[in-house]
Amino acid sequence: MFAVLKTGGKQYKVAKDDTFRVEKLAAEAGETIQFNEVMMLGGDTVTVGAPLVEGAAVQAEVLDQIRGPKTISFKKRRRKHSSQRKKGHRQSLTVVRVTDILASGGDKSGVKAAIGAGSVAGVVATAAAAPKKAKAAPKKEEPKAKAEAEAPAGAQPQNLLTEAKGKADDLKKISGVGPKLEGTLNEIGVYHFWQIAEWGPEEIAYMDDRLSFKGRIERDNWIAQAKEFSAAADE
């Protein structure tokens, strides 16, 4: 006789004396637990639940609480300098051995139900037949917190313009600025040398992030060049 049970969001086909690993359960080694979400029973006859087989249960002995193999998660956001994260994870697991498969009477056995550690939607059944708890709604990320996490570093320059004041300066005179980068600067609101000349460290950090290159403004000495060209234009 075999049974198909569900626990920890997964389904397992088991028979008596089978040993298998499941998502961590709230139980100690040596305890006897009972899986009450049985979806199918097989053997001489097959019983399919709708979705569960009423009164069916799988009893098992907890052998050990272990941790699974280490997995590595690495995330790097394109064009977000210094935004990368690497972390390891080992899933907590429970090793159990099937001791009995009940085709009926599981709801009256009185054996402790197998409930996932920290879960509010575990399997429910005992002699007392406690009511099933509702699954907690997932927390939605606050839009404000998300916006702050994705906001560029530094502070936005206060002298950005919606359009040039008169004729726009030829920003390509600055070392490292080509036609494409000049167009990007214009889209952001930078049209004149005097705007760049007024930037401080916070504004430089902001523009570095917006233009997706780290340190180029200071490396190519944009501020000094802009001041020189701006002064020449005023003469």
Side-chain angles (χ1 to χ4, degrees), residues 76-128:
K76 182 174 182 178
R77 291 195 294 176
R78 186 166 177 253
R79 295 197 181 97
K80 293 291 183 180
H81 297 280
S82 301
S83 177
Q84 60 185 34
R85 180 176 63 186
K86 179 179 180 181
K87 63 179 182 179
H89 172 71
R90 294 185 65 190
Q91 182 66 37
S92 296
L93 303 171
T94 301
V95 182
V96 298
R97 180 174 59 84
V98 177
T99 57
D100 200 6
I101 297 177
L102 305 178
S104 61
D107 52 345
K108 300 178 182 179
S109 68
V111 178
K112 175 182 176 180
I115 300 177
S119 173
V120 296
V123 181
V124 177
T126 52

Side-chain angles (χ1 to χ4, degrees), residues 41-75:
L41 290 174
D44 295 335
T45 59
V46 176
T47 304
V48 180
L52 304 179
V53 180
E54 186 176 356
V58 174
Q59 295 182 353
E61 178 187 1
V62 177
L63 301 180
D64 198 4
Q65 297 283 4
I66 64 172
R67 300 186 70 186
K70 186 175 183 179
T71 58
I72 300 297
S73 171
F74 181 77
K75 181 178 181 181

